[in-house]
Amino acid sequence: MASAEILEAAVRSVFSRWTLLRLAVDQGWSDGDGAANANALLASLLALLLRDKKVFVDEVEDLLFDALEGKFNALAEDGSVEEVATLLLKLRAECAAGNFATAQDIISKAAAQGQQGAAPSASIDQTADDVSDDDLNDDSDEEMVGVSALSRREEPVVDEDGFQVVASQRKGRSRRG
């Protein structure tokens, strides 16, 4: 398999395991056909990752944030966009260097989870494997993701009225629109 094909398969596996994107497609949050919008996002992302120029994490994050907000009517404030963007750039760099270990690991985990009888869901791509609802925050993937701080959540903060305080994870990203 060529480097680009392995990278594409790994990106498809990441997308199939990304809980927010799966929920958006499965629950019909999208304007129109959710699977088609997810495939369009995948195609745009692959075009960005496969170009010869340097790709910055902000570019990938912006593409993901904009697609989630514009196509799926979802605000990603859980840190998953940043985590997915970091993982995708890591995969890109490793595949370009001829190191396919992380990519193969992601692909095999997605395939193994799909074969363990995971609940069926609307597929992002007809050829993508259905996997369980475990996302990239799965404890077994912490080393692979390289952003273990994002996967460890602190106890929720409750204010004096008994409501849970929700803090934004966007860290300085301005809203466009």
mmCIF file with all atom_site columns, all heavy atoms in Angstrom, residues 7 9 38 55 61 79 126 131 135 140 166 170 172:
data_model
loop_
_atom_site.group_PDB
_atom_site.id
_atom_site.type_symbol
_atom_site.label_atom_id
_atom_site.label_alt_id
_atom_site.label_comp_id
_atom_site.label_asym_id
_atom_site.label_entity_id
_atom_site.label_seq_id
_atom_site.pdbx_PDB_ins_code
_atom_site.Cartn_x
_atom_site.Cartn_y
_atom_site.Cartn_z
_atom_site.occupancy
_atom_site.B_iso_or_equiv
_atom_site.pdbx_formal_charge
_atom_site.auth_seq_id
_atom_site.auth_comp_id
_atom_site.auth_asym_id
_atom_site.auth_atom_id
_atom_site.pdbx_PDB_model_num
ATOM 1  N N   . LEU A 1 7   ? -2.415  6.567  4.746  1.00 0.00 ? 7   LEU A N   1
ATOM 2  C CA  . LEU A 1 7   ? -2.877  7.768  5.435  1.00 0.00 ? 7   LEU A CA  1
ATOM 3  C C   . LEU A 1 7   ? -4.388  7.919  5.281  1.00 0.00 ? 7   LEU A C   1
ATOM 4  O O   . LEU A 1 7   ? -5.089  8.207  6.251  1.00 0.00 ? 7   LEU A O   1
ATOM 5  C CB  . LEU A 1 7   ? -2.157  9.008  4.903  1.00 0.00 ? 7   LEU A CB  1
ATOM 6  C CG  . LEU A 1 7   ? -2.593  10.340 5.517  1.00 0.00 ? 7   LEU A CG  1
ATOM 7  C CD1 . LEU A 1 7   ? -2.327  10.367 7.019  1.00 0.00 ? 7   LEU A CD1 1
ATOM 8  C CD2 . LEU A 1 7   ? -1.885  11.498 4.830  1.00 0.00 ? 7   LEU A CD2 1
ATOM 9  N N   . ALA A 1 9   ? -6.658  5.585  4.747  1.00 0.00 ? 9   ALA A N   1
ATOM 10 C CA  . ALA A 1 9   ? -7.326  4.558  5.551  1.00 0.00 ? 9   ALA A CA  1
ATOM 11 C C   . ALA A 1 9   ? -7.290  4.922  7.039  1.00 0.00 ? 9   ALA A C   1
ATOM 12 O O   . ALA A 1 9   ? -8.283  4.724  7.753  1.00 0.00 ? 9   ALA A O   1
ATOM 13 C CB  . ALA A 1 9   ? -6.678  3.202  5.309  1.00 0.00 ? 9   ALA A CB  1
ATOM 14 N N   . ALA A 1 38  ? -20.233 14.339 5.685  1.00 0.00 ? 38  ALA A N   1
ATOM 15 C CA  . ALA A 1 38  ? -19.039 13.769 6.325  1.00 0.00 ? 38  ALA A CA  1
ATOM 16 C C   . ALA A 1 38  ? -18.024 13.347 5.263  1.00 0.00 ? 38  ALA A C   1
ATOM 17 O O   . ALA A 1 38  ? -16.819 13.543 5.435  1.00 0.00 ? 38  ALA A O   1
ATOM 18 C CB  . ALA A 1 38  ? -19.418 12.591 7.205  1.00 0.00 ? 38  ALA A CB  1
ATOM 19 N N   . VAL A 1 55  ? 1.493   21.771 6.478  1.00 0.00 ? 55  VAL A N   1
ATOM 20 C CA  . VAL A 1 55  ? 0.141   21.952 6.990  1.00 0.00 ? 55  VAL A CA  1
ATOM 21 C C   . VAL A 1 55  ? 0.257   22.225 8.485  1.00 0.00 ? 55  VAL A C   1
ATOM 22 O O   . VAL A 1 55  ? 0.931   21.495 9.213  1.00 0.00 ? 55  VAL A O   1
ATOM 23 C CB  . VAL A 1 55  ? -0.729  20.694 6.746  1.00 0.00 ? 55  VAL A CB  1
ATOM 24 C CG1 . VAL A 1 55  ? -2.115  20.892 7.313  1.00 0.00 ? 55  VAL A CG1 1
ATOM 25 C CG2 . VAL A 1 55  ? -0.786  20.376 5.265  1.00 0.00 ? 55  VAL A CG2 1
ATOM 26 N N   . GLU A 1 61  ? -7.639  22.385 12.343 1.00 0.00 ? 61  GLU A N   1
ATOM 27 C CA  . GLU A 1 61  ? -8.657  22.718 13.335 1.00 0.00 ? 61  GLU A CA  1
ATOM 28 C C   . GLU A 1 61  ? -9.731  23.610 12.736 1.00 0.00 ? 61  GLU A C   1
ATOM 29 O O   . GLU A 1 61  ? -10.928 23.379 12.951 1.00 0.00 ? 61  GLU A O   1
ATOM 30 C CB  . GLU A 1 61  ? -8.025  23.416 14.547 1.00 0.00 ? 61  GLU A CB  1
ATOM 31 C CG  . GLU A 1 61  ? -7.232  22.500 15.437 1.00 0.00 ? 61  GLU A CG  1
ATOM 32 C CD  . GLU A 1 61  ? -6.532  23.236 16.572 1.00 0.00 ? 61  GLU A CD  1
ATOM 33 O OE1 . GLU A 1 61  ? -6.713  24.483 16.707 1.00 0.00 ? 61  GLU A OE1 1
ATOM 34 O OE2 . GLU A 1 61  ? -5.808  22.580 17.331 1.00 0.00 ? 61  GLU A OE2 1
ATOM 35 N N   . GLY A 1 79  ? -12.778 19.602 23.128 1.00 0.00 ? 79  GLY A N   1
ATOM 36 C CA  . GLY A 1 79  ? -11.363 19.368 22.887 1.00 0.00 ? 79  GLY A CA  1
ATOM 37 C C   . GLY A 1 79  ? -11.095 18.315 21.826 1.00 0.00 ? 79  GLY A C   1
ATOM 38 O O   . GLY A 1 79  ? -9.945  18.071 21.474 1.00 0.00 ? 79  GLY A O   1
ATOM 39 N N   . GLN A 1 126 ? -19.313 4.323  2.875  1.00 0.00 ? 126 GLN A N   1
ATOM 40 C CA  . GLN A 1 126 ? -19.852 2.986  2.715  1.00 0.00 ? 126 GLN A CA  1
ATOM 41 C C   . GLN A 1 126 ? -18.791 1.921  2.934  1.00 0.00 ? 126 GLN A C   1
ATOM 42 O O   . GLN A 1 126 ? -19.100 0.800  3.310  1.00 0.00 ? 126 GLN A O   1
ATOM 43 C CB  . GLN A 1 126 ? -20.482 2.823  1.320  1.00 0.00 ? 126 GLN A CB  1
ATOM 44 C CG  . GLN A 1 126 ? -21.657 3.754  1.093  1.00 0.00 ? 126 GLN A CG  1
ATOM 45 C CD  . GLN A 1 126 ? -22.759 3.569  2.123  1.00 0.00 ? 126 GLN A CD  1
ATOM 46 O OE1 . GLN A 1 126 ? -23.049 2.452  2.533  1.00 0.00 ? 126 GLN A OE1 1
ATOM 47 N NE2 . GLN A 1 126 ? -23.371 4.661  2.560  1.00 0.00 ? 126 GLN A NE2 1
ATOM 48 N N   . VAL A 1 131 ? -17.722 0.999  14.083 1.00 0.00 ? 131 VAL A N   1
ATOM 49 C CA  . VAL A 1 131 ? -16.998 0.734  15.320 1.00 0.00 ? 131 VAL A CA  1
ATOM 50 C C   . VAL A 1 131 ? -17.859 1.167  16.483 1.00 0.00 ? 131 VAL A C   1
ATOM 51 O O   . VAL A 1 131 ? -18.883 1.807  16.322 1.00 0.00 ? 131 VAL A O   1
ATOM 52 C CB  . VAL A 1 131 ? -15.640 1.471  15.360 1.00 0.00 ? 131 VAL A CB  1
ATOM 53 C CG1 . VAL A 1 131 ? -14.721 0.949  14.287 1.00 0.00 ? 131 VAL A CG1 1
ATOM 54 C CG2 . VAL A 1 131 ? -15.807 2.952  15.233 1.00 0.00 ? 131 VAL A CG2 1
ATOM 55 N N   . ASP A 1 135 ? -14.375 6.948  21.511 1.00 0.00 ? 135 ASP A N   1
ATOM 56 C CA  . ASP A 1 135 ? -13.692 7.917  20.660 1.00 0.00 ? 135 ASP A CA  1
ATOM 57 C C   . ASP A 1 135 ? -12.205 7.909  20.970 1.00 0.00 ? 135 ASP A C   1
ATOM 58 O O   . ASP A 1 135 ? -11.689 6.991  21.581 1.00 0.00 ? 135 ASP A O   1
ATOM 59 C CB  . ASP A 1 135 ? -14.287 9.318  20.821 1.00 0.00 ? 135 ASP A CB  1
ATOM 60 C CG  . ASP A 1 135 ? -14.072 9.903  22.199 1.00 0.00 ? 135 ASP A CG  1
ATOM 61 O OD1 . ASP A 1 135 ? -13.535 9.194  23.080 1.00 0.00 ? 135 ASP A OD1 1
ATOM 62 O OD2 . ASP A 1 135 ? -14.422 11.070 22.399 1.00 0.00 ? 135 ASP A OD2 1
ATOM 63 N N   . SER A 1 140 ? -6.897  3.202  26.077 1.00 0.00 ? 140 SER A N   1
ATOM 64 C CA  . SER A 1 140 ? -5.905  2.418  25.356 1.00 0.00 ? 140 SER A CA  1
ATOM 65 C C   . SER A 1 140 ? -5.256  3.220  24.231 1.00 0.00 ? 140 SER A C   1
ATOM 66 O O   . SER A 1 140 ? -4.220  2.851  23.726 1.00 0.00 ? 140 SER A O   1
ATOM 67 C CB  . SER A 1 140 ? -6.535  1.160  24.767 1.00 0.00 ? 140 SER A CB  1
ATOM 68 O OG  . SER A 1 140 ? -7.508  1.500  23.807 1.00 0.00 ? 140 SER A OG  1
ATOM 69 N N   . VAL A 1 166 ? -19.586 24.904 32.891 1.00 0.00 ? 166 VAL A N   1
ATOM 70 C CA  . VAL A 1 166 ? -18.968 24.380 31.682 1.00 0.00 ? 166 VAL A CA  1
ATOM 71 C C   . VAL A 1 166 ? -17.972 25.408 31.181 1.00 0.00 ? 166 VAL A C   1
ATOM 72 O O   . VAL A 1 166 ? -18.318 26.541 30.890 1.00 0.00 ? 166 VAL A O   1
ATOM 73 C CB  . VAL A 1 166 ? -20.032 24.095 30.594 1.00 0.00 ? 166 VAL A CB  1
ATOM 74 C CG1 . VAL A 1 166 ? -19.372 23.577 29.341 1.00 0.00 ? 166 VAL A CG1 1
ATOM 75 C CG2 . VAL A 1 166 ? -21.070 23.127 31.103 1.00 0.00 ? 166 VAL A CG2 1
ATOM 76 N N   . ARG A 1 170 ? -11.915 26.222 23.702 1.00 0.00 ? 170 ARG A N   1
ATOM 77 C CA  . ARG A 1 170 ? -11.506 26.775 22.414 1.00 0.00 ? 170 ARG A CA  1
ATOM 78 C C   . ARG A 1 170 ? -10.221 27.582 22.473 1.00 0.00 ? 170 ARG A C   1
ATOM 79 O O   . ARG A 1 170 ? -9.628  27.850 21.451 1.00 0.00 ? 170 ARG A O   1
ATOM 80 C CB  . ARG A 1 170 ? -12.623 27.604 21.833 1.00 0.00 ? 170 ARG A CB  1
ATOM 81 C CG  . ARG A 1 170 ? -13.775 26.679 21.450 1.00 0.00 ? 170 ARG A CG  1
ATOM 82 C CD  . ARG A 1 170 ? -14.810 27.442 20.823 1.00 0.00 ? 170 ARG A CD  1
ATOM 83 N NE  . ARG A 1 170 ? -14.769 27.112 19.406 1.00 0.00 ? 170 ARG A NE  1
ATOM 84 C CZ  . ARG A 1 170 ? -15.621 27.537 18.552 1.00 0.00 ? 170 ARG A CZ  1
ATOM 85 N NH1 . ARG A 1 170 ? -16.567 28.345 18.931 1.00 0.00 ? 170 ARG A NH1 1
ATOM 86 N NH2 . ARG A 1 170 ? -15.542 27.205 17.302 1.00 0.00 ? 170 ARG A NH2 1
ATOM 87 N N   . GLY A 1 172 ? -8.874  30.786 22.704 1.00 0.00 ? 172 GLY A N   1
ATOM 88 C CA  . GLY A 1 172 ? -8.482  31.910 21.859 1.00 0.00 ? 172 GLY A CA  1
ATOM 89 C C   . GLY A 1 172 ? -8.935  31.831 20.428 1.00 0.00 ? 172 GLY A C   1
ATOM 90 O O   . GLY A 1 172 ? -8.635  32.711 19.635 1.00 0.00 ? 172 GLY A O   1
#
